[in-house]
Amino acid sequence: TLNSIASLISENPKAAEETVEKLSDLFRHSLRHSEKNTVTLAEELDLIRTYLEIEKVRLGERLRYDVTCDDRMREVEVPAMLIQPLVENSIKHGIAPAVDGGEIFVEAKEADGMCVIRVRDSGKGFQNNADPGGFSVVPEAIIAQAAIAILAPALAALVPVFAGATITVREAVNTYGLG
């Protein structure tokens, strides 16, 4: 990110300044919430949008994304920095390696009394191993799954798909007083 900003200084000083401001926002958010265990989903998704804008400076048109949230879910409390590592892994393993880049979709909605957060990318997905009943994942994906278990034990599933990868997190809505 800093290299991307440095390269912009001579090419496009205004874009460099805007990216530094976004990076400052990201750092401020991290510091402000470092002592809190939870933040609202709206705050977490604002962080994700800022992070994606910073990554867009580096990847340009190769990164396309959409972040959506049901209005009712905006005030649901989630573990701070829950979604960012998942988005980061989508960029690192799904989008950045692809010549044409790809898309990341972050969606938060209510389903069956649960807050469902889905991070999906259009990358190559997880590679099947010799066991046709299973799949292998890169260590970073295992780390992300472990982080979910540590940060919010009730959160659920890592789902392999043919094109790209999808991480789905579920938490009971009434856990946070909205049910």
Side-chain angles (χ1 to χ4, degrees):
T1 302
L2 292 177
N3 287 335
S4 297
I5 294 169
S7 69
L8 279 176
I9 291 172
S10 61
E11 293 174 21
N12 188 341
K14 179 144 179 63
E17 181 180 349
E18 290 171 0
T19 305
V20 168
E21 289 171 2
K22 289 174 187 164
L23 191 56
S24 294
D25 290 344
L26 188 67
F27 288 145
R28 266 194 301 279
H29 177 87
S30 297
L31 289 172
R32 185 172 48 242
H33 297 297
S34 65
E35 295 179 11
K36 294 171 66 175
N37 289 330
T38 62
V39 296
T40 66
L41 187 52
E43 291 172 311
E44 184 75 359
L45 292 176
D46 285 344
L47 170 79
I48 296 307
R49 287 182 190 95
T50 301
Y51 176 74
L52 286 165
E53 282 299 311
I54 292 168
E55 286 295 325
K56 192 156 180 71
V57 169
R58 181 171 67 91
L59 296 169
E61 295 304 313
R62 295 179 54 232
L63 174 60
R64 298 168 301 282
Y65 65 88
D66 188 36
V67 178
T68 60
C69 181
D70 287 352
D71 286 341
R72 181 165 158 70
M73 297 293 99
R74 293 182 55 74
E75 297 306 313
V76 169
E77 294 282 324
V78 297
M81 298 295 286
L82 171 69
I83 303 170
Q84 189 277 335
L86 304 176
V87 172
E88 183 176 344
N89 276 339
S90 285
I91 291 171
K92 180 177 180 181
H93 299 289
I95 307 306
V99 172
D100 293 331
E103 300 172 314
I104 294 179
F105 302 95
V106 180
E107 173 188 36
K109 64 181 183 176
E110 181 178 8
D112 300 323
M114 304 287 282
C115 175
V116 178
I117 302 166
R118 185 165 287 128
V119 177
R120 183 169 43 101
D121 68 62
S122 63
K124 65 181 180 174
F126 300 112
Q127 301 301 306
N128 286 332
N129 58 20
D131 176 9
F135 61 91
S136 62
V137 295
V138 296
E140 290 83 355
I142 294 169
I143 291 167
Q145 191 174 28
I148 290 171
I150 292 167
L151 291 170
L155 302 179
L158 178 63
V159 181
V161 295
F162 292 115
T166 301
I167 306 290
T168 302
V169 176
R170 303 178 201 284
E171 180 65 62
V173 172
N174 62 9
T175 299
Y176 301 107
L178 294 178

